[in-house]
Amino acid sequence: MRHVIAHTAVYVIATLLVGGAAAFGTVRSRQLVIVDEAMLLSRHEPATAHEFEWGDLGAYGYARNCANCHSPDGTGWDQYPPLRPIAVTFPAEAARAYLIDLHLYGLSSARWRAPMPRMHHVTDAELAAILNHVVVRFGGADAAGDRLFQPADIAARRGQGIGPRDVDRRRPAP
Amino acid sequence: MTRTISGVFWIALYLVVVLAPVGLMLVPPVPSGRGFWIEFSVALGFVGLTQLAVQFVLIARFKRVTAPYGIDVILQYHRSIAMVAIAAILAHPLILVVDYPARLELLNPFGGNWASRAGLLSVAALLAIAVTSLYRERLRLGYERWRMWHLVLGVTAIVAAQVHVSLAGLYTNTFWKHAVWIGTAVLMVGLIVYLRVLKPARQQAYRWQVAELRALPGDTHTLVLEPVNHAGIRFAPGQFAWLKLARSPFTLDEHPFSFASSAERRDRIEFGIKEAGDFSRRIAAVQPGARVFLDGPHGAFSIDRYPAVGFVFIGGGIGMTPMMSFLHTMADRNDPRPVLLLYAEKSLDAVTYGEVVRDLEGRLALETVLVPEEAPEDWDGERGFIDAALLDRRLPDDRARRSYFVCGPPAMMDAVHDALLEQGIAESQVQLERFNLA
């Protein structure tokens, strides 16, 4: 009797585990969980460029999406590149496109022995804010300049159907 | 009743623990949700890791936790659920690579980063655990050696997985989340220290010595133990203990054996040991006065757990030892309830407890049916295997109300179990002792 119950328990728990994991996946991929300020902000994308308040959202978005790999101040470690040098090349048009693409499609190169994962799930507003955070706070770009990233810049580069290797080929010479 | 309550309590706690990581991952700040497959695979990794951690609790032999179910069932559960955990953990990197093939370079131990290397080490340790456990005999891995490796690999797997989570984890993005994960892992590894160091240290004070070793038919010995300077052990008939035959209790060489003697005697206990493996052969050569350490009692296969108006005991070979404990205990208690004993053995000369059972028939309402697999022409009793037809012939009229206890070789137990159900005996009336505790 006890053995039969233990057997059933294994199936029940296994189902629970996989079911729980699938529920988690669904909830997360639909961005259903934990509505916080930054999340709300990134959902209600601002109407005009001038109203785009990226400061807090950028810091927050960087901390929760990038910091664990590139370190909180962007210095990098182990197989994760520092972001300061790339941020300094900011003004060039090709570098802007590259910076956006590597988030939307990932990046895989011979320079580092790990790939940069795709970040296409991050909303346009949050991604633009993160990029501004990187180029202004790490790269020393002008915080008020009109060359900052706007949500519309991100939206324009979605849907190209390229892969992480293609992104690497488009990397501008530093 | 309290047993049922504590049984339910532990299961509820277990479910909470199992799903705890999923909750912890949702404590803000959470990273932006990624695609379904990534998040699914990450969740699989986390719940797999918690399952790994739980294994350390399952094998720590906490009596309070195991008593409601019986430790044999807990270990059976350990074997199956650990495989589920390993499968979940393996699925984690596989899904990630399929989702984004650029991640393939992370599977190269010389490429990738420290996070991926730690993950790989953990997976390698888990695969080694699975292979050595499933194919221990085919790999000719001795029991002690396997045990040693099982321990080392298990600790490696959980430590490496924890390092992987700490380095890679988007979800351990605050100090406290980090601390909870690492704290749990340290606690789990601490349980190993408890089981292998603290518990043996306590056994030091509860030594036993061999009083006598009696040879019985069927290559079996009765090992009689006496406590050294303590009152002995209180156990329920049918339970068992892990036995170490060594100068010091800090050995991995321990084996489970059922008590064969009466539960009413705490200070002179007997085990039935059949010469099969290395260990039981060593026991056969042991001298009176030799030092023994016990970890017990464990197990839920006991007549004391199930109220009944009468019993049917079905034992095969060395599976008779718990039945002997039942019978001796009932005799000492002057228990009037009727017992039918079906005793299966290879041949008539191998019947280990034949004489003892005959003596007990005088003190109990006991009827014995010997079922030798092979018997000479002139044997007029039962022979062959215990099947539905034999049960139908021999089971008493009040068969539906009796409690059934079955212990023997796995194939016999399966067959008898099926045959009993076929006879209309309810599943809840049948208790099996699957003596597979490795």
Side-chain angles (χ1 to χ4, degrees):
Chain A
M1 187 66 193
R2 297 179 298 126
H3 298 269
V4 180
I5 294 175
H7 243 99
T8 323
V10 171
Y11 288 106
V12 171
I13 301 272
T15 316
L16 249 167
L17 291 184
V18 178
F24 181 85
T26 311
V27 164
R28 297 290 290 129
S29 58
R30 301 215 174 137
Q31 317 280 356
L32 290 181
V33 208
I34 316 290
V35 179
D36 53 43
E37 236 175 299
M39 206 66 172
L40 273 181
L41 206 73
S42 70
R43 281 219 203 139
H44 301 289
E45 300 187 356
T48 68
H50 283 296
E51 285 170 33
F52 182 46
E53 292 284 344
W54 59 267
D56 289 347
L57 180 56
Y60 184 82
Y62 181 84
R64 66 179 189 157
N65 290 305
C66 323
N68 67 313
C69 287
H70 291 287
S71 80
D73 55 358
T75 46
W77 65 289
D78 192 16
Q79 291 303 314
Y80 307 111
L83 298 183
R84 208 168 285 275
I86 190 85
V88 174
T89 64
F90 162 64
E93 198 55 42
R96 282 173 65 86
Y98 170 70
L99 278 182
I100 297 174
D101 286 355
L102 80 91
H103 288 91
L104 295 180
Y105 310 105
L107 170 67
S108 177
S109 77
R111 289 182 299 282
W112 302 88
R113 280 173 303 175
M116 157 96 181
R118 284 178 293 191
M119 294 276 162
H120 58 315
H121 54 277
V122 179
T123 59
D124 293 344
E126 187 174 356
L127 197 51
I130 292 173
L131 284 171
N132 289 337
H133 175 82
V134 169
V135 296
V136 172
R137 305 225 169 97
F138 301 159
D142 179 3
D146 56 3
R147 302 288 295 133
L148 288 173
F149 291 87
Q150 297 295 328
D153 299 339
I154 312 292
R157 299 203 66 81
R158 287 197 190 260
Q160 296 179 57
I162 55 173
R165 296 251 165 221
D166 305 319
V167 174
D168 181 48
R169 275 190 285 276
R170 293 188 190 173
R171 185 178 195 260
Chain B
M1 199 54 210
T2 50
R3 200 161 51 219
T4 318
I5 291 173
S6 77
V8 171
F9 168 78
W10 290 115
I11 290 182
L13 186 69
Y14 188 90
L15 291 182
V16 171
V17 169
V18 163
L19 294 175
V22 177
L24 187 63
M25 284 152 80
L26 294 180
V27 175
V30 276
S32 315
R34 292 162 287 177
F36 172 80
W37 288 106
I38 299 193
E39 297 292 353
F40 176 57
S41 96
V42 169
L44 281 180
F46 273 104
V47 293
L49 176 54
T50 335
Q51 284 304 308
L52 278 196
V54 167
Q55 304 310 312
F56 288 84
V57 182
L58 294 181
I59 55 121
R61 301 185 195 161
F62 291 118
K63 285 201 193 113
R64 217 189 267 257
V65 182
T66 58
Y69 320 100
I71 199 165
D72 52 334
V73 160
I74 296 278
L75 290 179
Q76 176 199 326
Y77 178 75
H78 161 62
R79 280 191 295 271
S80 330
I81 204 71
M83 288 298 167
V84 173
I86 292 178
I89 291 177
L90 281 183
H92 166 62
L94 287 182
I95 295 178
L96 284 180
V97 167
V98 171
D99 176 74
Y100 182 55
R103 288 202 179 92
L104 255 179
E105 56 189 307
L106 296 176
L107 299 189
N108 171 3
F110 301 106
N113 45 48
W114 286 109
S116 65
R117 274 174 226 135
L120 282 178
L121 176 62
S122 180
V123 165
L126 288 175
L127 286 178
I129 286 183
V131 170
T132 50
S133 304
L134 289 175
Y135 305 110
R136 179 173 75 79
E137 263 145 34
R138 215 175 303 165
L139 294 171
R140 308 212 177 159
L141 198 57
Y143 180 68
E144 283 76 60
R145 179 90 46 101
W146 168 80
R147 242 182 157 183
M148 187 70 212
W149 279 110
H150 204 68
L151 206 150
V152 171
L153 289 170
V155 172
T156 308
I158 193 164
V159 169
Q162 207 49 247
V163 171
H164 169 76
V165 169
S166 293
L167 292 181
L170 270 178
Y171 283 103
T172 49
N173 51 8
T174 67
F175 172 78
W176 284 113
K177 292 193 208 175
H178 236 115
V180 168
W181 279 102
I182 293 180
T184 330
V186 168
L187 225 96
M188 296 306 141
V189 175
L191 288 180
I192 291 288
V193 177
Y194 162 80
L195 181 67
R196 297 294 168 211
V197 180
L198 299 184
K199 218 172 176 193
R202 233 174 28 213
Q203 287 168 4
Q204 196 85 289
Y206 291 95
R207 250 180 258 166
W208 295 77
Q209 68 180 15
V210 175
E212 193 187 330
L213 189 72
R214 252 180 282 136
L216 293 171
D219 296 328
T220 303
H221 288 85
T222 294
L223 180 72
V224 186
L225 299 183
E226 278 172 351
V228 180
N229 298 329
H230 59 95
I233 185 170
R234 200 186 294 281
F235 62 95
Q239 285 194 297
F240 64 88
W242 266 278
L243 201 146
K244 292 177 193 167
L245 186 64
R247 316 220 104 258
S248 125
F250 301 100
T251 167
L252 286 179
D253 191 6
E254 60 175 348
H255 298 260
F257 292 101
S258 288
F259 295 100
S261 53
S262 165
E264 299 295 312
R265 296 263 342 234
R266 301 176 57 184
D267 55 347
R268 190 178 164 88
I269 57 177
E270 300 184 2
F271 294 94
I273 295 170
K274 191 174 175 80
E275 273 185 51
D278 289 349
F279 187 76
S280 43
R281 258 192 293 279
R282 246 178 55 216
I283 289 216
V286 82
Q287 293 300 316
R291 193 176 294 178
V292 174
F293 297 95
L294 293 182
D295 177 359
H298 292 286
F301 184 73
S302 177
I303 50 173
D304 287 0
R305 284 176 70 109
Y306 307 93
V309 293
F311 298 101
V312 176
F313 300 152
I314 305 177
I318 195 65
M320 272 297 292
T321 42
M323 312 301 170
M324 295 320 294
S325 177
F326 292 159
L327 295 173
H328 283 300
T329 308
M330 289 178 78
D332 282 356
R333 292 175 182 167
N334 294 319
D335 195 323
R337 290 177 290 180
V339 176
L340 170 68
L341 173 66
L342 301 181
Y343 187 167
E345 217 9 304
K346 278 243 146 21
S347 67
L348 284 173
D349 354 298
V351 176
T352 308
Y353 296 108
E355 211 167 305
V356 191
V357 168
R358 260 192 302 284
D359 285 348
L360 284 164
E361 273 174 345
R363 301 169 60 196
L364 285 168
L366 170 66
E367 181 197 342
T368 310
V369 177
L370 256 185
V371 188
E373 210 176 302
E374 286 151 26
E377 289 289 308
D378 56 353
W379 170 255
D380 60 355
E382 297 284 357
R383 67 176 75 212
F385 296 103
I386 300 178
D387 54 14
L390 188 148
L391 289 176
D392 196 28
R393 267 197 308 281
R394 295 295 190 163
L395 289 186
D397 294 339
D398 64 345
R399 55 182 69 173
R401 285 162 52 216
R402 293 218 182 175
S403 236
Y404 293 76
F405 288 81
V406 188
C407 184
M412 167 195 154
M413 277 198 292
D414 290 340
V416 169
H417 182 214
D418 291 346
L420 283 173
L421 297 187
E422 212 175 297
Q423 285 299 305
I425 311 297
E427 177 74 59
S428 58
Q429 307 270 92
V430 183
Q431 314 306 330
L432 304 177
E433 178 78 316
R434 296 209 179 272
F435 225 72
N436 182 5
L437 295 171

